[in-house]
Amino acid sequence: MQEKERLNKFLSEAGVCSRREADRLIEAGAVTVNGEPAVTGMRVSEEDTVLVKGKKIRKKEEMVLLLMNKPRGLICTAQTREKPNIIEYLNYPVRVYPVGRLDKESEGLLLLTNNGDLVNRIMRAGNFHEKEYRVWVDRPIDQEFIKKMSGGVPILNTVTRPCKVRKTGKNTFSIILTQGLNRQIRRMCEYLGYQVKRLVRVRIMNLRLNGIETGAYRRITDQEYRELQELLKDSTSLSWKERL
């Protein structure tokens, strides 16, 4: 008998949606297991018949992880009603969705996958995984700016986690974050009186933008995937609430 796992994890790894969205679908009565309405927290295996809105769901045998250089102007969403969105732009033959978000005006490295558990393990702030950005602002920066950005900035009713910031030019700097608050870098700069003119993500953990042209993508290499798995081996896909 196959080992059972939580239904929301099963749906996430099958590429249907995120765990959170899976819970919403279950609560809305859109999911059945062996002909019966599913309930939050139930466990299933491949031997069970799982339907979402009447469609049978099976785990995908092949995990897809793409590295894309997102152009400015695209919305990072799997919701096709929002235009222009990254999924329709990519038009990949297997259903994938973004790992985290880059806001519409930001550019650079975006990961897309059909594995929801991988998404959570990479993006959970509690795992402290690094994301690196290059930033251009509207006026010269000084050491006081670098110090304040590095130490933490009050935004969104919290103070940002200390991070690594390095001046790279008169009006440019690099920043390495281990959290992902909404429009975090732009809000941090605005608090300090600066406006972001351009923002490019160049790295997520061991995965780098190097050599990928704007709008293009490639699949992760075997070596990159091995390195990524090593970095993720102690990471959880659960939120702090789910771990209690």
Side-chain angles (χ1 to χ4, degrees):
M1 180 178 293
Q2 293 189 8
E3 183 178 351
K4 289 183 178 285
E5 60 186 340
R6 288 177 67 94
L7 178 56
N8 62 356
K9 182 173 185 284
F10 179 91
L11 294 176
S12 177
E13 292 186 347
V16 175
C17 56
S18 68
R19 289 193 187 189
R20 184 175 298 177
E21 181 61 26
D23 285 333
R24 293 195 190 102
L25 289 171
I26 294 166
E27 291 170 3
V31 184
T32 63
V33 176
N34 300 326
E36 298 293 332
V39 295
T40 303
M42 73 184 302
R43 305 179 76 86
V44 299
S45 73
E46 282 284 355
E47 295 174 351
D48 294 304
T49 301
V50 180
L51 305 183
V52 175
K53 297 180 180 178
K55 180 180 178 181
K56 189 172 183 177
I57 304 301
R58 290 189 176 278
K59 278 195 177 181
K60 290 181 168 56
E61 295 182 0
E62 182 183 17
M63 191 278 295
V64 175
L65 180 56
L66 308 177
L67 283 66
M68 180 184 185
N69 187 346
K70 173 194 170 300
R72 178 180 288 191
L74 285 182
I75 302 172
C76 287
T77 180
Q79 300 296 323
T80 54
R81 64 176 178 271
E82 296 190 50
K83 311 287 186 181
N85 67 77
I86 195 74
I87 300 303
E88 290 183 344
Y89 178 92
L90 190 67
N91 195 30
Y92 196 71
V94 173
R95 181 177 179 179
V96 294
Y97 44 91
V99 180
R101 296 175 70 92
L102 277 175
D103 65 61
K104 185 176 180 180
E105 297 306 311
S106 297
E107 312 164 48
L109 182 61
L110 181 68
L111 307 183
L112 298 108
T113 185
N114 60 349
N115 188 310
D117 189 60
L118 183 66
V119 172
N120 292 330
R121 290 167 67 200
I122 292 175
M123 298 310 297
R124 286 280 182 226
N127 291 327
F128 286 78
H129 295 315
E130 290 188 346
K131 298 180 288 290
E132 183 175 354
Y133 303 79
R134 298 281 185 266
V135 188
W136 289 253
V137 290
D138 61 338
R139 60 190 180 90
I141 58 179
D142 53 25
Q143 285 306 308
E144 185 66 15
F145 171 85
I146 299 297
K147 180 180 178 181
K148 290 179 178 178
M149 287 286 285
S150 302
V153 177
I155 61 170
L156 298 173
N157 300 314
T158 187
V159 176
T160 59
R161 186 178 290 167
C163 59
K164 300 175 185 177
V165 183
R166 179 173 59 89
K167 183 176 179 179
T168 56
K170 183 179 178 181
N171 291 40
T172 62
F173 64 95
S174 70
I175 181 169
I176 300 174
L177 302 179
T178 57
Q179 64 184 146
L181 302 176
N182 183 263
R183 297 173 65 86
Q184 180 171 342
I185 297 172
R186 295 182 189 275
R187 292 179 191 273
M188 292 170 73
C189 288
E190 286 170 6
Y191 181 86
L192 298 176
Y194 290 76
Q195 181 181 358
V196 172
K197 306 302 289 185
R198 187 184 180 198
L199 191 154
V200 181
R201 184 159 62 194
V202 296
R203 178 172 66 88
I204 298 174
M205 300 178 68
N206 65 305
L207 306 175
R208 298 181 180 275
L209 185 63
N210 300 354
I212 306 175
E213 296 183 3
T214 300
Y217 69 89
R218 65 171 176 82
R219 297 190 65 149
I220 191 172
T221 67
D222 291 342
Q223 178 63 29
E224 287 172 331
Y225 187 66
R226 284 193 294 270
E227 292 172 356
L228 180 64
Q229 288 298 97
E230 180 65 23
L231 292 171
L232 290 172
K233 67 181 182 180
D234 296 321
S235 298
T236 179
S237 62
L238 302 179
S239 69
W240 66 270
K241 290 182 179 179
E242 292 172 311
R243 280 176 268 170
L244 294 179

